[in-house]
Amino acid sequence: QVQLVESGGGLVQAGGSLRLSCAASGSILSINYMGWYRQAPGKQRELVAAITSGGSTNYADSVKGRFTISRDNAKNTVYLQMNSLKPEDTAVYYCNAWIAVVAGTRGYWGQGTQVTVSS
């Protein structure tokens, strides 16, 4: 059984920073894609940033230059460093990963962590 556990959310003032972490555990053979999504109240879930096992990244236009995604393959962990936070960044942030196990490869989601940015 595979689990993704997120941490690092919280309340911060506009202009502040937070660092999210997501650790994958279980009978993992390999992890290719890892990403962060967010969902604000009344809005659809959207991609924030993603990173491949080789280190290629992509970002939503709204966070480019402010957020940085990184990963530690040895620890099966992905991070999201969020700087210059804005009230519109307020959302529940979810970790997503495509993970290979003995039974095959599929996507997994974390439980979500709340990020609230006050003005």
Short mmCIF file of all heavy atoms in Angstrom, two decimals, residues 74-107:
data_model
loop_
_atom_site.label_atom_id
_atom_site.label_comp_id
_atom_site.label_asym_id
_atom_site.label_seq_id
_atom_site.Cartn_x
_atom_site.Cartn_y
_atom_site.Cartn_z
N ALA A 74 15.99 9.86 -3.19
CA ALA A 74 16.37 8.86 -2.19
C ALA A 74 15.35 8.77 -1.06
O ALA A 74 15.19 7.71 -0.44
CB ALA A 74 17.75 9.20 -1.62
N LYS A 75 14.66 9.88 -0.81
CA LYS A 75 13.66 9.92 0.26
C LYS A 75 12.23 9.84 -0.27
O LYS A 75 11.28 9.92 0.51
CB LYS A 75 13.82 11.20 1.08
CG LYS A 75 15.14 11.30 1.82
CD LYS A 75 15.21 12.58 2.63
CE LYS A 75 16.52 12.67 3.41
NZ LYS A 75 16.60 13.94 4.21
N ASN A 76 12.08 9.71 -1.59
CA ASN A 76 10.74 9.69 -2.20
C ASN A 76 9.91 10.88 -1.74
O ASN A 76 8.72 10.75 -1.43
CB ASN A 76 10.01 8.38 -1.88
CG ASN A 76 10.61 7.18 -2.60
OD1 ASN A 76 11.19 7.33 -3.67
ND2 ASN A 76 10.47 6.00 -2.02
N THR A 77 10.53 12.03 -1.73
CA THR A 77 9.88 13.24 -1.19
C THR A 77 9.96 14.36 -2.21
O THR A 77 11.00 14.55 -2.87
CB THR A 77 10.56 13.66 0.12
OG1 THR A 77 10.42 12.60 1.08
CG2 THR A 77 9.91 14.92 0.67
N VAL A 78 8.87 15.10 -2.30
CA VAL A 78 8.82 16.29 -3.15
C VAL A 78 8.52 17.49 -2.27
O VAL A 78 7.80 17.38 -1.27
CB VAL A 78 7.76 16.14 -4.27
CG1 VAL A 78 6.36 16.00 -3.70
CG2 VAL A 78 7.84 17.29 -5.26
N TYR A 79 9.10 18.63 -2.63
CA TYR A 79 8.96 19.86 -1.85
C TYR A 79 8.40 20.96 -2.74
O TYR A 79 8.59 20.95 -3.96
CB TYR A 79 10.32 20.31 -1.31
CG TYR A 79 11.05 19.25 -0.52
CD1 TYR A 79 12.02 18.47 -1.12
CD2 TYR A 79 10.77 19.05 0.82
CE1 TYR A 79 12.70 17.49 -0.41
CE2 TYR A 79 11.45 18.07 1.55
CZ TYR A 79 12.41 17.30 0.92
OH TYR A 79 13.07 16.34 1.64
N LEU A 80 7.74 21.91 -2.10
CA LEU A 80 7.30 23.11 -2.80
C LEU A 80 7.65 24.31 -1.92
O LEU A 80 7.05 24.51 -0.87
CB LEU A 80 5.80 23.08 -3.08
CG LEU A 80 5.27 24.24 -3.91
CD1 LEU A 80 5.82 24.15 -5.35
CD2 LEU A 80 3.75 24.27 -3.95
N GLN A 81 8.65 25.04 -2.35
CA GLN A 81 9.02 26.28 -1.67
C GLN A 81 8.20 27.41 -2.23
O GLN A 81 8.26 27.67 -3.44
CB GLN A 81 10.52 26.56 -1.85
CG GLN A 81 10.98 27.85 -1.21
CD GLN A 81 10.89 27.81 0.30
OE1 GLN A 81 11.27 26.83 0.94
NE2 GLN A 81 10.40 28.90 0.90
N MET A 82 7.43 28.06 -1.39
CA MET A 82 6.53 29.11 -1.83
C MET A 82 6.96 30.43 -1.20
O MET A 82 6.94 30.58 0.02
CB MET A 82 5.08 28.78 -1.42
CG MET A 82 4.61 27.42 -1.92
SD MET A 82 2.88 27.11 -1.57
CE MET A 82 2.92 27.01 0.23
N ASN A 83 7.37 31.36 -2.04
CA ASN A 83 7.81 32.67 -1.59
C ASN A 83 6.87 33.74 -2.13
O ASN A 83 6.10 33.49 -3.07
CB ASN A 83 9.24 32.96 -2.07
CG ASN A 83 10.25 31.98 -1.53
OD1 ASN A 83 10.11 31.46 -0.42
ND2 ASN A 83 11.28 31.70 -2.33
N SER A 84 6.95 34.93 -1.55
CA SER A 84 6.12 36.06 -1.98
C SER A 84 4.66 35.65 -2.11
O SER A 84 4.00 35.93 -3.12
CB SER A 84 6.63 36.59 -3.33
OG SER A 84 7.99 36.99 -3.23
N LEU A 85 4.17 35.00 -1.09
CA LEU A 85 2.80 34.48 -1.14
C LEU A 85 1.79 35.60 -1.21
O LEU A 85 1.97 36.69 -0.64
CB LEU A 85 2.54 33.60 0.07
CG LEU A 85 3.15 32.19 -0.04
CD1 LEU A 85 3.28 31.54 1.33
CD2 LEU A 85 2.32 31.33 -0.96
N LYS A 86 0.71 35.31 -1.93
CA LYS A 86 -0.38 36.27 -2.13
C LYS A 86 -1.68 35.67 -1.59
O LYS A 86 -1.83 34.45 -1.53
CB LYS A 86 -0.54 36.56 -3.62
CG LYS A 86 0.70 37.06 -4.32
CD LYS A 86 0.46 37.21 -5.82
CE LYS A 86 1.70 37.70 -6.54
NZ LYS A 86 1.47 37.85 -8.00
N PRO A 87 -2.64 36.51 -1.24
CA PRO A 87 -3.93 35.98 -0.77
C PRO A 87 -4.56 35.00 -1.76
O PRO A 87 -5.21 34.04 -1.34
CB PRO A 87 -4.77 37.24 -0.59
CG PRO A 87 -3.78 38.30 -0.25
CD PRO A 87 -2.57 37.98 -1.10
N GLU A 88 -4.34 35.23 -3.04
CA GLU A 88 -4.93 34.33 -4.05
C GLU A 88 -4.25 32.96 -4.10
O GLU A 88 -4.71 32.07 -4.81
CB GLU A 88 -4.91 34.97 -5.44
CG GLU A 88 -3.57 35.52 -5.86
CD GLU A 88 -3.45 37.02 -5.60
OE1 GLU A 88 -3.86 37.48 -4.50
OE2 GLU A 88 -2.91 37.73 -6.49
N ASP A 89 -3.19 32.78 -3.35
CA ASP A 89 -2.56 31.46 -3.23
C ASP A 89 -3.27 30.60 -2.18
O ASP A 89 -2.95 29.41 -2.04
CB ASP A 89 -1.09 31.58 -2.85
CG ASP A 89 -0.25 32.24 -3.93
OD1 ASP A 89 -0.44 31.91 -5.12
OD2 ASP A 89 0.60 33.08 -3.58
N THR A 90 -4.20 31.18 -1.47
CA THR A 90 -4.94 30.44 -0.45
C THR A 90 -5.71 29.29 -1.07
O THR A 90 -6.48 29.49 -2.01
CB THR A 90 -5.91 31.37 0.30
OG1 THR A 90 -5.15 32.35 1.01
CG2 THR A 90 -6.79 30.59 1.26
N ALA A 91 -5.48 28.09 -0.58
CA ALA A 91 -6.11 26.89 -1.13
C ALA A 91 -5.68 25.68 -0.31
O ALA A 91 -4.78 25.78 0.53
CB ALA A 91 -5.70 26.68 -2.58
N VAL A 92 -6.31 24.56 -0.59
CA VAL A 92 -5.79 23.28 -0.11
C VAL A 92 -4.83 22.76 -1.16
O VAL A 92 -5.18 22.68 -2.34
CB VAL A 92 -6.92 22.26 0.14
CG1 VAL A 92 -6.32 20.93 0.60
CG2 VAL A 92 -7.91 22.80 1.17
N TYR A 93 -3.63 22.44 -0.74
CA TYR A 93 -2.60 21.96 -1.64
C TYR A 93 -2.48 20.44 -1.53
O TYR A 93 -2.38 19.90 -0.42
CB TYR A 93 -1.27 22.63 -1.32
CG TYR A 93 -1.20 24.05 -1.81
CD1 TYR A 93 -1.97 25.06 -1.21
CD2 TYR A 93 -0.36 24.41 -2.87
CE1 TYR A 93 -1.94 26.36 -1.67
CE2 TYR A 93 -0.32 25.72 -3.34
CZ TYR A 93 -1.10 26.69 -2.73
OH TYR A 93 -1.06 27.98 -3.19
N TYR A 94 -2.50 19.80 -2.70
CA TYR A 94 -2.46 18.35 -2.76
C TYR A 94 -1.21 17.88 -3.50
O TYR A 94 -0.85 18.43 -4.54
CB TYR A 94 -3.68 17.80 -3.50
CG TYR A 94 -5.00 18.07 -2.84
CD1 TYR A 94 -5.72 19.22 -3.15
CD2 TYR A 94 -5.53 17.19 -1.91
CE1 TYR A 94 -6.94 19.48 -2.55
CE2 TYR A 94 -6.76 17.43 -1.31
CZ TYR A 94 -7.45 18.58 -1.64
OH TYR A 94 -8.67 18.82 -1.04
N CYS A 95 -0.60 16.85 -2.97
CA CYS A 95 0.51 16.20 -3.64
C CYS A 95 -0.02 15.08 -4.52
O CYS A 95 -0.98 14.38 -4.16
CB CYS A 95 1.44 15.62 -2.57
SG CYS A 95 2.80 14.64 -3.19
N ASN A 96 0.58 14.92 -5.68
CA ASN A 96 0.21 13.84 -6.61
C ASN A 96 1.48 13.18 -7.13
O ASN A 96 2.47 13.88 -7.39
CB ASN A 96 -0.60 14.42 -7.77
CG ASN A 96 -0.93 13.39 -8.84
OD1 ASN A 96 -0.29 13.35 -9.89
ND2 ASN A 96 -1.90 12.56 -8.57
N ALA A 97 1.43 11.88 -7.28
CA ALA A 97 2.60 11.18 -7.80
C ALA A 97 2.17 9.95 -8.59
O ALA A 97 1.19 9.28 -8.23
CB ALA A 97 3.52 10.76 -6.65
N TRP A 98 2.90 9.67 -9.66
CA TRP A 98 2.72 8.45 -10.43
C TRP A 98 3.77 7.46 -9.98
O TRP A 98 4.97 7.67 -10.18
CB TRP A 98 2.81 8.72 -11.93
CG TRP A 98 1.52 9.31 -12.42
CD1 TRP A 98 1.17 10.61 -12.44
CD2 TRP A 98 0.41 8.58 -12.92
NE1 TRP A 98 -0.11 10.75 -12.92
CE2 TRP A 98 -0.61 9.53 -13.22
CE3 TRP A 98 0.13 7.23 -13.12
CZ2 TRP A 98 -1.85 9.16 -13.72
CZ3 TRP A 98 -1.10 6.86 -13.64
CH2 TRP A 98 -2.08 7.82 -13.92
N ILE A 99 3.28 6.39 -9.36
CA ILE A 99 4.16 5.48 -8.65
C ILE A 99 4.01 4.07 -9.19
O ILE A 99 2.89 3.58 -9.38
CB ILE A 99 3.84 5.49 -7.13
CG1 ILE A 99 4.07 6.90 -6.57
CG2 ILE A 99 4.68 4.46 -6.39
CD1 ILE A 99 3.67 7.07 -5.12
N ALA A 100 5.16 3.45 -9.42
CA ALA A 100 5.18 2.06 -9.88
C ALA A 100 5.29 1.13 -8.68
O ALA A 100 6.21 1.27 -7.86
CB ALA A 100 6.35 1.84 -10.83
N VAL A 101 4.35 0.20 -8.61
CA VAL A 101 4.39 -0.87 -7.61
C VAL A 101 4.34 -2.19 -8.38
O VAL A 101 4.26 -2.19 -9.60
CB VAL A 101 3.23 -0.76 -6.61
CG1 VAL A 101 3.32 0.55 -5.83
CG2 VAL A 101 1.88 -0.84 -7.33
N VAL A 102 4.38 -3.29 -7.67
CA VAL A 102 4.40 -4.59 -8.33
C VAL A 102 3.18 -4.78 -9.24
O VAL A 102 3.28 -5.30 -10.34
CB VAL A 102 4.48 -5.73 -7.29
CG1 VAL A 102 4.28 -7.09 -7.97
CG2 VAL A 102 5.82 -5.69 -6.56
N ALA A 103 2.04 -4.27 -8.80
CA ALA A 103 0.79 -4.46 -9.55
C ALA A 103 0.67 -3.54 -10.75
O ALA A 103 -0.23 -3.71 -11.57
CB ALA A 103 -0.40 -4.26 -8.62
N GLY A 104 1.56 -2.56 -10.87
CA GLY A 104 1.48 -1.62 -11.99
C GLY A 104 1.73 -0.20 -11.55
O GLY A 104 2.11 0.06 -10.41
N THR A 105 1.47 0.74 -12.46
CA THR A 105 1.71 2.17 -12.19
C THR A 105 0.39 2.91 -12.18
O THR A 105 -0.45 2.72 -13.06
CB THR A 105 2.63 2.77 -13.27
OG1 THR A 105 3.88 2.08 -13.25
CG2 THR A 105 2.88 4.24 -12.99
N ARG A 106 0.21 3.75 -11.19
CA ARG A 106 -1.00 4.57 -11.11
C ARG A 106 -0.70 5.82 -10.34
O ARG A 106 0.36 5.96 -9.72
CB ARG A 106 -2.13 3.79 -10.44
CG ARG A 106 -1.78 3.18 -9.10
CD ARG A 106 -2.97 2.93 -8.22
NE ARG A 106 -3.46 4.16 -7.61
CZ ARG A 106 -4.30 4.20 -6.58
NH1 ARG A 106 -4.78 3.08 -6.08
NH2 ARG A 106 -4.69 5.34 -6.07
N GLY A 107 -1.66 6.74 -10.38
CA GLY A 107 -1.54 7.99 -9.66
C GLY A 107 -2.05 7.88 -8.24
O GLY A 107 -3.03 7.17 -7.99
#
